[in-house]
Amino acid sequence: WMRTGDLGELDARGFLYLAGRVKEIINRGGEKISPAGVDDELTLHPDVEAAVTFAVPDDRLGEDVASAVVLREGASLTKSELRKFAAQRLAHFKVPHQIIFIKDSDIPRNATGKPLRGGLAEHFGMEGRKRSDADGVRKAPSSRTEEKVVAYLSGLLQVENVGVDEDFFDLGGDSLSALTLTQWIQEEFGIEMRPVVLFEAASVEALAS
């Protein structure tokens, strides 16, 4: 009878489950992603207190997935570890490529306490964010394999001076460039590798190993 803008479904018992708002849906290269569903999976990690997933602009995909995460007190979870956890529970296109760790008070909320997802990319300064080449000294390759991967990544991601301990996704990598990278690995080294491996081995060091 009327459209509220809410997304949801009825379960087998007839209960209505609300999963988010239509305007919050992330359209990533044609794939529709409910940010609330990503939040639910991220918060299953024992070190995660809260998570708010939102869209960030992407030149090729239109939008990509990012998450602002609040860790429990004393937790030392890394972004790579959280992506690996998410990749085990979510389709690869739903895994957040950009993750930031914040305090709960940093999350904008409405009068009822719900996170305001709209504008979070701008709020956290993540619109078109690129890694700076002036951030300091990078860890240099220590093997011929690492040298090859660094050289290829520099061209693929258009990033100079790639450190072997830097995260592929922090450098600007996404699922499309991950596919390109794994195809090159197969051609260069004769190793068949699925793109999802990059969620487990996101640095040049780990990938080369």
Side-chain angles (χ1 to χ4, degrees):
W1 292 344
M2 63 178 182
R3 288 183 175 271
T4 65
D6 294 294
L7 292 171
E9 61 183 355
L10 292 170
D11 66 14
R13 299 171 298 168
F15 287 98
L16 178 63
Y17 175 75
L18 294 179
R21 304 277 294 170
V22 170
K23 65 181 181 180
E24 294 176 349
I25 290 297
I26 301 170
N27 186 352
R28 184 182 182 279
E31 299 282 2
K32 304 297 191 293
I33 301 165
S34 168
V38 178
D39 292 349
D40 290 343
E41 298 301 331
L42 293 179
T43 52
L44 290 175
H45 194 288
D47 288 342
V48 175
E49 179 72 33
V52 182
T53 301
F54 53 96
V56 290
D58 186 275
D59 291 340
R60 291 182 293 175
L61 299 169
E63 293 180 330
D64 205 354
V65 185
S67 293
V69 175
V70 180
L71 296 180
R72 297 187 186 279
E73 187 175 355
S76 58
L77 186 67
T78 67
K79 290 184 280 188
S80 294
E81 289 169 342
L82 185 54
R83 285 195 198 97
K84 180 179 177 180
F85 176 83
Q88 295 169 347
R89 314 185 65 89
L90 294 166
H92 69 89
F93 61 86
K94 295 182 180 180
V95 176
H97 291 141
Q98 292 192 43
I99 294 175
I100 57 171
F101 294 126
I102 61 170
K103 297 181 294 184
D104 188 72
S105 58
D106 293 333
I107 303 174
R109 301 180 185 275
N110 63 16
T112 62
K114 291 183 179 180
L116 296 171
R117 299 181 197 273
L120 281 185
E122 182 178 2
H123 177 78
F124 290 121
M126 298 172 70
E127 286 191 306
R129 185 178 63 172
K130 298 291 184 182
R131 169 265 212 181
S132 171
D133 288 323
D135 286 342
V137 177
R138 311 292 177 189
K139 188 174 180 181
S142 60
S143 70
R144 179 57 181 156
T145 300
E146 289 183 359
E147 289 176 356
K148 287 183 177 181
V149 177
V150 164
Y152 185 78
L153 273 185
S154 295
L156 176 65
L157 303 179
Q158 297 296 295
V159 174
E160 296 181 3
N161 194 24
V162 173
V164 296
D165 55 348
E166 291 187 274
D167 189 288
F168 171 79
F169 297 104
D170 288 342
L171 290 169
D174 55 30
S175 58
L176 292 178
S177 52
L179 179 60
T180 303
L181 174 60
T182 52
Q183 288 174 338
W184 171 79
I185 288 173
Q186 183 169 349
E187 295 170 1
E188 181 71 23
F189 300 101
I191 298 172
E192 187 172 349
M193 182 180 291
R194 295 179 301 141
V196 71
V197 170
L198 281 164
F199 290 115
E200 302 177 2
S203 70
V204 171
E205 282 180 321
L207 194 59
S209 175

